[in-house]
Structure formats: structure tokens, C-alpha cells
């Protein structure tokens, strides 16, 4: 599963990239607004930091305006993926942009039926929101499982990006469900590293080593 950071914060993106395990980035208008910088300039800067897909969302609500906005966003950098919401206009725009060779991430997907429409429209990515379904008493991951099955049944090429992941368990379950991509906030990615037995084991290894040797074998 590809790992994306769901963040527009440049420090977080730089740190994540330095670990060598981040494959791309998703942003949304809320995350961009938090940074308080000009949108296009900020996306360009993110593309300079991250080698991989960078989703940038349109804010128009009418199809033809989404298409114009999407075309402008796609010009920023070859790695930009235009994000359109799963509305009637968003699906129309997705279909038009996809036919023009512009890659679209259809966002705010909450049912398998909506995901079917995104695939039919030629979306490059569909984003089911796991955590927000959990928030209202559903099992969000069931949606990822259903979409995976439907896309497999018909050979749809649209990639499933599990979004609104809030914990390491969400990430593991998205991978088990077969999502091609999981996007997560920086703090969730950071938490994936942790296990007390890793810390305890390393501590013991280093203590045992130090009882016999004074330095690391390759230390200069
Ligand atoms: O980028 C969309 C999504 O990942 C948002 O997550 O936690 O705000 O529901 P959240």
C-alpha cells in the first residue's frame, strides 16, 4: 500500500520524506487554509518537496468551473492530481478532466455506489472517508472492503485511497482491505513506528554490546 501524508504543512512533509517511506500527499481546502499561504504557490512548493502524487482540491461547485480550475491546478506540476467532490457536478467534471488526460481524485466518498460512479467517470483515485463514517456510528472500513470487491469484480483501474484514517489500526485495516493508498496525518504515520518491545529490545542489545565492545563496528 502506498503511504500518503494528509497534510499541507511543509515541515511535516519534509520530515516524512526524510524517512524514505512517503509516496505522495493529499490536501484539502481545510488543510490548505490552515497554512494561510497562496494556494497555487503552496502546492508548487509541496511538489518540490514530495516526489509523488499531490492532490489539490477544486473549490468551485459548478462542473464547468471545476474543469477550468482543475486544468489550472494540473498545470502547476506534473504530479498534481485534481481533487473533485463526489457531487453530480464533481462527477461531470471528473469525466471531462479524465477525458483530457488529467488525473482526478474523487473525494468525499461515503458509499460504494458513489465509488462506482467515480470509477465510471474515469477517476484515477477515489477517496472513501473512513474516520468520518466511524464518527457517525458506521464501520468506515466496510466501505473500503466493499469498493475493493466491486472494483475487482469489474476490473476498474481507479485506485482506492483510504482517507480520514485516524489511527495505526485504521492504516493496518486499510492495507488488509486492499486499499492501494492510505493517507494519514503526520502524527498517525509517526505512531506507526512505535512498539515498546522494539524500544526495550534495542536498549538490551546496546547494553549487551557495550559490555564487550567500546564502539560500533564501523564507527570512524
Ligand atoms: O483529506 C481528507 C481526509 O483525510 C480528512 O480526514 O480526519 O478530517 O476526517 P478527517
Amino acid at each position: 500500500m502506498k503511504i500518503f501524508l494528509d497534510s499541507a504543512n511543509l515541515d511535516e512533509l519534509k520530515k516524512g520524506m526524510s524517512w524514505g517511506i512517503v509516496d505522495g500527499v493529499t490536501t484539502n481546502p481545510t488543510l490548505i487554509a490552515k497554512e494561510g499561504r497562496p494556494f497555487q504557490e503552496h502546492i508548487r512548493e509541496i511538489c518540490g518537496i514530495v516526489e509523488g502524487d499531490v492532490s489539490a482540491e477544486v473549490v468551485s461547485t459548478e462542473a464547468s468551473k471545476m474543469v477550468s480550475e482543475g486544468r489550472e491546478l494540473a498545470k502547476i506540476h506534473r504530479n498534481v492530481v485534481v481533487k473533485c467532490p463526489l457531487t453530480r457536478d464533481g462527477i461531470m467534471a471528473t469525466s471531462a478532466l479524465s477525458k483530457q488526460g488529467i488525473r482526478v481524485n474523487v473525494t468525499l466518498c461515503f458509499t460504494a455506489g458513489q465509488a462506482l460512479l467515480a470509477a465510471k467517470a474515469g477517476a484515477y483515485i477515489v477517496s472513501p472517508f473512513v474516520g468520518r463514517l466511524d464518527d457517525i456510528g458506521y464501520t468506515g472500513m466496510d466501505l473500503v472492503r466493499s469498493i475493493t470487491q466491486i472494483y475487482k469484480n469489474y476490473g476498474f483501474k481507479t485506485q482506492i485511497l483510504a482517507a480520514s484514517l485516524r489511527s495505526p489500526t485504521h492504516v493496518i485495516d486499510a492495507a488488509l482491505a486492499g486499499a492501494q493508498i492510505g493517507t494519514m496525518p503526520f502524527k498517525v504515520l509517526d505512531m506507526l513506528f512505535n512498539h515498546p518491545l522494539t524500544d526495550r529490545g534495542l536498549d538490551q542489545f546496546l547494553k549487551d554490546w557495550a559490555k564487550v565492545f567500546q564502539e560500533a563496528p564501523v564507527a570512524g
Side-chain angles (χ1 to χ4, degrees), residues 142-169:
D142 285 347
L143 174 59
V144 177
R145 284 186 269 272
S146 299
I147 302 171
T148 306
Q149 185 61 56
I150 290 169
Y151 282 10
K152 196 172 155 207
N153 288 349
Y154 298 99
F156 286 122
K157 296 282 177 267
T158 304
Q159 295 178 81
I160 302 163
L161 182 155
S164 188
L165 301 180
R166 309 264 179 81
S167 65
T169 305

PDB file of all heavy atoms in Angstrom, residues 142-169:
ATOM      1  N   ASP A 142     -15.661  -0.931   6.336  1.00  0.00           N
ATOM      2  CA  ASP A 142     -16.524  -1.775   5.498  1.00  0.00           C
ATOM      3  C   ASP A 142     -16.675  -1.173   4.105  1.00  0.00           C
ATOM      4  O   ASP A 142     -16.796  -1.898   3.111  1.00  0.00           O
ATOM      5  CB  ASP A 142     -17.926  -1.930   6.131  1.00  0.00           C
ATOM      6  CG  ASP A 142     -17.910  -2.885   7.318  1.00  0.00           C
ATOM      7  OD1 ASP A 142     -16.899  -3.598   7.481  1.00  0.00           O
ATOM      8  OD2 ASP A 142     -18.901  -2.901   8.071  1.00  0.00           O
ATOM      9  N   LEU A 143     -16.670   0.155   4.050  1.00  0.00           N
ATOM     10  CA  LEU A 143     -16.787   0.830   2.753  1.00  0.00           C
ATOM     11  C   LEU A 143     -15.569   0.521   1.876  1.00  0.00           C
ATOM     12  O   LEU A 143     -15.714   0.222   0.678  1.00  0.00           O
ATOM     13  CB  LEU A 143     -16.933   2.347   2.968  1.00  0.00           C
ATOM     14  CG  LEU A 143     -16.918   3.212   1.706  1.00  0.00           C
ATOM     15  CD1 LEU A 143     -18.034   2.822   0.740  1.00  0.00           C
ATOM     16  CD2 LEU A 143     -17.022   4.693   2.078  1.00  0.00           C
ATOM     17  N   VAL A 144     -14.386   0.552   2.476  1.00  0.00           N
ATOM     18  CA  VAL A 144     -13.160   0.250   1.707  1.00  0.00           C
ATOM     19  C   VAL A 144     -13.230  -1.190   1.193  1.00  0.00           C
ATOM     20  O   VAL A 144     -12.909  -1.467   0.032  1.00  0.00           O
ATOM     21  CB  VAL A 144     -11.897   0.479   2.570  1.00  0.00           C
ATOM     22  CG1 VAL A 144     -10.632   0.103   1.802  1.00  0.00           C
ATOM     23  CG2 VAL A 144     -11.822   1.933   3.036  1.00  0.00           C
ATOM     24  N   ARG A 145     -13.705  -2.096   2.058  1.00  0.00           N
ATOM     25  CA  ARG A 145     -13.820  -3.504   1.651  1.00  0.00           C
ATOM     26  C   ARG A 145     -14.810  -3.660   0.496  1.00  0.00           C
ATOM     27  O   ARG A 145     -14.555  -4.376  -0.470  1.00  0.00           O
ATOM     28  CB  ARG A 145     -14.259  -4.368   2.848  1.00  0.00           C
ATOM     29  CG  ARG A 145     -13.122  -4.634   3.837  1.00  0.00           C
ATOM     30  CD  ARG A 145     -13.554  -5.612   4.923  1.00  0.00           C
ATOM     31  NE  ARG A 145     -14.116  -4.914   6.074  1.00  0.00           N
ATOM     32  CZ  ARG A 145     -13.398  -4.463   7.105  1.00  0.00           C
ATOM     33  NH1 ARG A 145     -12.099  -4.677   7.151  1.00  0.00           N
ATOM     34  NH2 ARG A 145     -13.985  -3.829   8.093  1.00  0.00           N
ATOM     35  N   SER A 146     -15.953  -2.980   0.579  1.00  0.00           N
ATOM     36  CA  SER A 146     -16.969  -3.097  -0.487  1.00  0.00           C
ATOM     37  C   SER A 146     -16.443  -2.549  -1.814  1.00  0.00           C
ATOM     38  O   SER A 146     -16.639  -3.166  -2.862  1.00  0.00           O
ATOM     39  CB  SER A 146     -18.234  -2.307  -0.116  1.00  0.00           C
ATOM     40  OG  SER A 146     -18.789  -2.820   1.057  1.00  0.00           O
ATOM     41  N   ILE A 147     -15.790  -1.406  -1.751  1.00  0.00           N
ATOM     42  CA  ILE A 147     -15.278  -0.807  -3.004  1.00  0.00           C
ATOM     43  C   ILE A 147     -14.224  -1.727  -3.631  1.00  0.00           C
ATOM     44  O   ILE A 147     -14.214  -1.952  -4.840  1.00  0.00           O
ATOM     45  CB  ILE A 147     -14.679   0.604  -2.765  1.00  0.00           C
ATOM     46  CG1 ILE A 147     -15.723   1.543  -2.162  1.00  0.00           C
ATOM     47  CG2 ILE A 147     -14.163   1.197  -4.068  1.00  0.00           C
ATOM     48  CD1 ILE A 147     -15.151   2.898  -1.694  1.00  0.00           C
ATOM     49  N   THR A 148     -13.357  -2.281  -2.770  1.00  0.00           N
ATOM     50  CA  THR A 148     -12.313  -3.192  -3.265  1.00  0.00           C
ATOM     51  C   THR A 148     -12.948  -4.348  -4.032  1.00  0.00           C
ATOM     52  O   THR A 148     -12.506  -4.711  -5.130  1.00  0.00           O
ATOM     53  CB  THR A 148     -11.467  -3.739  -2.085  1.00  0.00           C
ATOM     54  OG1 THR A 148     -10.976  -2.632  -1.340  1.00  0.00           O
ATOM     55  CG2 THR A 148     -10.294  -4.564  -2.557  1.00  0.00           C
ATOM     56  N   GLN A 149     -14.009  -4.916  -3.461  1.00  0.00           N
ATOM     57  CA  GLN A 149     -14.682  -6.054  -4.104  1.00  0.00           C
ATOM     58  C   GLN A 149     -15.326  -5.644  -5.427  1.00  0.00           C
ATOM     59  O   GLN A 149     -15.184  -6.322  -6.451  1.00  0.00           O
ATOM     60  CB  GLN A 149     -15.740  -6.631  -3.146  1.00  0.00           C
ATOM     61  CG  GLN A 149     -16.413  -7.894  -3.674  1.00  0.00           C
ATOM     62  CD  GLN A 149     -15.416  -9.031  -3.895  1.00  0.00           C
ATOM     63  OE1 GLN A 149     -14.707  -9.431  -2.991  1.00  0.00           O
ATOM     64  NE2 GLN A 149     -15.349  -9.545  -5.125  1.00  0.00           N
ATOM     65  N   ILE A 150     -16.025  -4.506  -5.406  1.00  0.00           N
ATOM     66  CA  ILE A 150     -16.719  -4.050  -6.631  1.00  0.00           C
ATOM     67  C   ILE A 150     -15.716  -3.750  -7.749  1.00  0.00           C
ATOM     68  O   ILE A 150     -15.898  -4.167  -8.895  1.00  0.00           O
ATOM     69  CB  ILE A 150     -17.594  -2.809  -6.318  1.00  0.00           C
ATOM     70  CG1 ILE A 150     -18.784  -3.228  -5.448  1.00  0.00           C
ATOM     71  CG2 ILE A 150     -18.094  -2.142  -7.601  1.00  0.00           C
ATOM     72  CD1 ILE A 150     -19.574  -2.065  -4.864  1.00  0.00           C
ATOM     73  N   TYR A 151     -14.641  -3.053  -7.416  1.00  0.00           N
ATOM     74  CA  TYR A 151     -13.649  -2.706  -8.443  1.00  0.00           C
ATOM     75  C   TYR A 151     -12.990  -3.981  -8.999  1.00  0.00           C
ATOM     76  O   TYR A 151     -12.703  -4.059 -10.192  1.00  0.00           O
ATOM     77  CB  TYR A 151     -12.584  -1.757  -7.874  1.00  0.00           C
ATOM     78  CG  TYR A 151     -13.029  -0.301  -7.739  1.00  0.00           C
ATOM     79  CD1 TYR A 151     -14.358   0.087  -7.921  1.00  0.00           C
ATOM     80  CD2 TYR A 151     -12.107   0.696  -7.433  1.00  0.00           C
ATOM     81  CE1 TYR A 151     -14.754   1.418  -7.792  1.00  0.00           C
ATOM     82  CE2 TYR A 151     -12.490   2.034  -7.318  1.00  0.00           C
ATOM     83  CZ  TYR A 151     -13.818   2.386  -7.485  1.00  0.00           C
ATOM     84  OH  TYR A 151     -14.201   3.709  -7.365  1.00  0.00           O
ATOM     85  N   LYS A 152     -12.793  -4.969  -8.091  1.00  0.00           N
ATOM     86  CA  LYS A 152     -12.195  -6.231  -8.532  1.00  0.00           C
ATOM     87  C   LYS A 152     -13.160  -6.966  -9.475  1.00  0.00           C
ATOM     88  O   LYS A 152     -12.756  -7.486 -10.510  1.00  0.00           O
ATOM     89  CB  LYS A 152     -11.906  -7.082  -7.281  1.00  0.00           C
ATOM     90  CG  LYS A 152     -10.953  -8.222  -7.519  1.00  0.00           C
ATOM     91  CD  LYS A 152     -10.562  -8.889  -6.205  1.00  0.00           C
ATOM     92  CE  LYS A 152     -10.154 -10.319  -6.479  1.00  0.00           C
ATOM     93  NZ  LYS A 152     -10.380 -11.192  -5.323  1.00  0.00           N
ATOM     94  N   ASN A 153     -14.444  -6.960  -9.121  1.00  0.00           N
ATOM     95  CA  ASN A 153     -15.447  -7.658  -9.945  1.00  0.00           C
ATOM     96  C   ASN A 153     -15.424  -7.204 -11.391  1.00  0.00           C
ATOM     97  O   ASN A 153     -15.659  -7.987 -12.303  1.00  0.00           O
ATOM     98  CB  ASN A 153     -16.864  -7.394  -9.411  1.00  0.00           C
ATOM     99  CG  ASN A 153     -17.146  -8.108  -8.100  1.00  0.00           C
ATOM    100  OD1 ASN A 153     -16.360  -8.958  -7.679  1.00  0.00           O
ATOM    101  ND2 ASN A 153     -18.249  -7.755  -7.447  1.00  0.00           N
ATOM    102  N   TYR A 154     -15.175  -5.899 -11.589  1.00  0.00           N
ATOM    103  CA  TYR A 154     -15.299  -5.326 -12.937  1.00  0.00           C
ATOM    104  C   TYR A 154     -13.988  -4.821 -13.525  1.00  0.00           C
ATOM    105  O   TYR A 154     -13.981  -4.240 -14.610  1.00  0.00           O
ATOM    106  CB  TYR A 154     -16.355  -4.206 -12.916  1.00  0.00           C
ATOM    107  CG  TYR A 154     -17.706  -4.766 -12.539  1.00  0.00           C
ATOM    108  CD1 TYR A 154     -18.183  -4.665 -11.239  1.00  0.00           C
ATOM    109  CD2 TYR A 154     -18.454  -5.471 -13.470  1.00  0.00           C
ATOM    110  CE1 TYR A 154     -19.392  -5.236 -10.877  1.00  0.00           C
ATOM    111  CE2 TYR A 154     -19.667  -6.045 -13.127  1.00  0.00           C
ATOM    112  CZ  TYR A 154     -20.129  -5.921 -11.826  1.00  0.00           C
ATOM    113  OH  TYR A 154     -21.319  -6.499 -11.483  1.00  0.00           O
ATOM    114  N   GLY A 155     -12.909  -5.043 -12.791  1.00  0.00           N
ATOM    115  CA  GLY A 155     -11.593  -4.640 -13.315  1.00  0.00           C
ATOM    116  C   GLY A 155     -11.408  -3.136 -13.439  1.00  0.00           C
ATOM    117  O   GLY A 155     -10.644  -2.668 -14.287  1.00  0.00           O
ATOM    118  N   PHE A 156     -12.095  -2.344 -12.599  1.00  0.00           N
ATOM    119  CA  PHE A 156     -11.891  -0.887 -12.628  1.00  0.00           C
ATOM    120  C   PHE A 156     -10.463  -0.552 -12.212  1.00  0.00           C
ATOM    121  O   PHE A 156      -9.933  -1.145 -11.270  1.00  0.00           O
ATOM    122  CB  PHE A 156     -12.865  -0.173 -11.672  1.00  0.00           C
ATOM    123  CG  PHE A 156     -14.275  -0.117 -12.180  1.00  0.00           C
ATOM    124  CD1 PHE A 156     -15.316  -0.673 -11.432  1.00  0.00           C
ATOM    125  CD2 PHE A 156     -14.590   0.492 -13.387  1.00  0.00           C
ATOM    126  CE1 PHE A 156     -16.627  -0.624 -11.878  1.00  0.00           C
ATOM    127  CE2 PHE A 156     -15.903   0.550 -13.838  1.00  0.00           C
ATOM    128  CZ  PHE A 156     -16.921  -0.014 -13.091  1.00  0.00           C
ATOM    129  N   LYS A 157      -9.865   0.392 -12.911  1.00  0.00           N
ATOM    130  CA  LYS A 157      -8.463   0.742 -12.636  1.00  0.00           C
ATOM    131  C   LYS A 157      -8.339   1.838 -11.567  1.00  0.00           C
ATOM    132  O   LYS A 157      -7.238   2.140 -11.098  1.00  0.00           O
ATOM    133  CB  LYS A 157      -7.774   1.236 -13.921  1.00  0.00           C
ATOM    134  CG  LYS A 157      -7.688   0.174 -15.014  1.00  0.00           C
ATOM    135  CD  LYS A 157      -6.550  -0.818 -14.731  1.00  0.00           C
ATOM    136  CE  LYS A 157      -6.487  -1.924 -15.778  1.00  0.00           C
ATOM    137  NZ  LYS A 157      -7.259  -3.133 -15.399  1.00  0.00           N
ATOM    138  N   THR A 158      -9.447   2.477 -11.208  1.00  0.00           N
ATOM    139  CA  THR A 158      -9.428   3.546 -10.195  1.00  0.00           C
ATOM    140  C   THR A 158      -8.782   3.027  -8.904  1.00  0.00           C
ATOM    141  O   THR A 158      -9.165   1.961  -8.408  1.00  0.00           O
ATOM    142  CB  THR A 158     -10.871   4.020  -9.909  1.00  0.00           C
ATOM    143  OG1 THR A 158     -11.454   4.413 -11.157  1.00  0.00           O
ATOM    144  CG2 THR A 158     -10.908   5.175  -8.925  1.00  0.00           C
ATOM    145  N   GLN A 159      -7.818   3.783  -8.383  1.00  0.00           N
ATOM    146  CA  GLN A 159      -7.161   3.357  -7.140  1.00  0.00           C
ATOM    147  C   GLN A 159      -7.993   3.787  -5.933  1.00  0.00           C
ATOM    148  O   GLN A 159      -8.549   4.888  -5.914  1.00  0.00           O
ATOM    149  CB  GLN A 159      -5.790   4.019  -7.015  1.00  0.00           C
ATOM    150  CG  GLN A 159      -4.804   3.598  -8.087  1.00  0.00           C
ATOM    151  CD  GLN A 159      -3.492   4.344  -7.892  1.00  0.00           C
ATOM    152  OE1 GLN A 159      -2.665   3.966  -7.075  1.00  0.00           O
ATOM    153  NE2 GLN A 159      -3.306   5.409  -8.639  1.00  0.00           N
ATOM    154  N   ILE A 160      -8.039   2.908  -4.939  1.00  0.00           N
ATOM    155  CA  ILE A 160      -8.774   3.222  -3.707  1.00  0.00           C
ATOM    156  C   ILE A 160      -7.803   3.827  -2.704  1.00  0.00           C
ATOM    157  O   ILE A 160      -6.804   3.195  -2.324  1.00  0.00           O
ATOM    158  CB  ILE A 160      -9.428   1.948  -3.132  1.00  0.00           C
ATOM    159  CG1 ILE A 160     -10.360   1.329  -4.177  1.00  0.00           C
ATOM    160  CG2 ILE A 160     -10.178   2.255  -1.834  1.00  0.00           C
ATOM    161  CD1 ILE A 160     -10.734  -0.112  -3.899  1.00  0.00           C
ATOM    162  N   LEU A 161      -8.117   5.058  -2.310  1.00  0.00           N
ATOM    163  CA  LEU A 161      -7.282   5.777  -1.342  1.00  0.00           C
ATOM    164  C   LEU A 161      -8.091   5.877  -0.043  1.00  0.00           C
ATOM    165  O   LEU A 161      -9.079   6.615   0.014  1.00  0.00           O
ATOM    166  CB  LEU A 161      -6.932   7.168  -1.896  1.00  0.00           C
ATOM    167  CG  LEU A 161      -6.020   8.074  -1.073  1.00  0.00           C
ATOM    168  CD1 LEU A 161      -5.302   9.064  -1.984  1.00  0.00           C
ATOM    169  CD2 LEU A 161      -6.768   8.834   0.008  1.00  0.00           C
ATOM    170  N   ALA A 162      -7.703   5.091   0.943  1.00  0.00           N
ATOM    171  CA  ALA A 162      -8.408   5.150   2.230  1.00  0.00           C
ATOM    172  C   ALA A 162      -8.024   6.455   2.918  1.00  0.00           C
ATOM    173  O   ALA A 162      -6.855   6.692   3.229  1.00  0.00           O
ATOM    174  CB  ALA A 162      -8.032   3.951   3.094  1.00  0.00           C
ATOM    175  N   ALA A 163      -9.035   7.322   3.115  1.00  0.00           N
ATOM    176  CA  ALA A 163      -8.790   8.650   3.691  1.00  0.00           C
ATOM    177  C   ALA A 163      -9.459   8.746   5.053  1.00  0.00           C
ATOM    178  O   ALA A 163     -10.196   7.847   5.461  1.00  0.00           O
ATOM    179  CB  ALA A 163      -9.327   9.726   2.754  1.00  0.00           C
ATOM    180  N   SER A 164      -9.177   9.869   5.726  1.00  0.00           N
ATOM    181  CA  SER A 164      -9.729  10.082   7.064  1.00  0.00           C
ATOM    182  C   SER A 164      -9.328   8.919   7.984  1.00  0.00           C
ATOM    183  O   SER A 164     -10.128   8.414   8.758  1.00  0.00           O
ATOM    184  CB  SER A 164     -11.264  10.236   6.962  1.00  0.00           C
ATOM    185  OG  SER A 164     -11.841  10.624   8.165  1.00  0.00           O
ATOM    186  N   LEU A 165      -8.052   8.506   7.851  1.00  0.00           N
ATOM    187  CA  LEU A 165      -7.506   7.467   8.736  1.00  0.00           C
ATOM    188  C   LEU A 165      -7.012   8.162   9.994  1.00  0.00           C
ATOM    189  O   LEU A 165      -6.276   9.146   9.909  1.00  0.00           O
ATOM    190  CB  LEU A 165      -6.363   6.710   8.047  1.00  0.00           C
ATOM    191  CG  LEU A 165      -6.710   5.993   6.731  1.00  0.00           C
ATOM    192  CD1 LEU A 165      -5.470   5.292   6.159  1.00  0.00           C
ATOM    193  CD2 LEU A 165      -7.841   4.984   6.924  1.00  0.00           C
ATOM    194  N   ARG A 166      -7.397   7.665  11.143  1.00  0.00           N
ATOM    195  CA  ARG A 166      -7.128   8.393  12.387  1.00  0.00           C
ATOM    196  C   ARG A 166      -6.184   7.655  13.335  1.00  0.00           C
ATOM    197  O   ARG A 166      -5.853   8.180  14.392  1.00  0.00           O
ATOM    198  CB  ARG A 166      -8.453   8.644  13.117  1.00  0.00           C
ATOM    199  CG  ARG A 166      -9.549   9.272  12.253  1.00  0.00           C
ATOM    200  CD  ARG A 166      -9.609  10.766  12.415  1.00  0.00           C
ATOM    201  NE  ARG A 166     -10.626  11.373  11.575  1.00  0.00           N
ATOM    202  CZ  ARG A 166     -11.920  11.413  11.870  1.00  0.00           C
ATOM    203  NH1 ARG A 166     -12.383  10.864  12.991  1.00  0.00           N
ATOM    204  NH2 ARG A 166     -12.767  12.003  11.040  1.00  0.00           N
ATOM    205  N   SER A 167      -5.821   6.406  13.002  1.00  0.00           N
ATOM    206  CA  SER A 167      -5.000   5.623  13.937  1.00  0.00           C
ATOM    207  C   SER A 167      -4.175   4.602  13.160  1.00  0.00           C
ATOM    208  O   SER A 167      -4.520   4.267  12.016  1.00  0.00           O
ATOM    209  CB  SER A 167      -5.908   4.867  14.917  1.00  0.00           C
ATOM    210  OG  SER A 167      -6.664   3.910  14.186  1.00  0.00           O
ATOM    211  N   PRO A 168      -3.120   4.064  13.794  1.00  0.00           N
ATOM    212  CA  PRO A 168      -2.361   2.986  13.146  1.00  0.00           C
ATOM    213  C   PRO A 168      -3.250   1.785  12.804  1.00  0.00           C
ATOM    214  O   PRO A 168      -3.053   1.140  11.771  1.00  0.00           O
ATOM    215  CB  PRO A 168      -1.303   2.620  14.202  1.00  0.00           C
ATOM    216  CG  PRO A 168      -1.085   3.892  14.955  1.00  0.00           C
ATOM    217  CD  PRO A 168      -2.451   4.533  15.035  1.00  0.00           C
ATOM    218  N   THR A 169      -4.238   1.489  13.646  1.00  0.00           N
ATOM    219  CA  THR A 169      -5.144   0.360  13.359  1.00  0.00           C
ATOM    220  C   THR A 169      -5.916   0.610  12.068  1.00  0.00           C
ATOM    221  O   THR A 169      -6.103  -0.303  11.255  1.00  0.00           O
ATOM    222  CB  THR A 169      -6.130   0.157  14.541  1.00  0.00           C
ATOM    223  OG1 THR A 169      -5.357   0.005  15.718  1.00  0.00           O
ATOM    224  CG2 THR A 169      -7.006  -1.063  14.340  1.00  0.00           C
TER     225      THR A 169
END
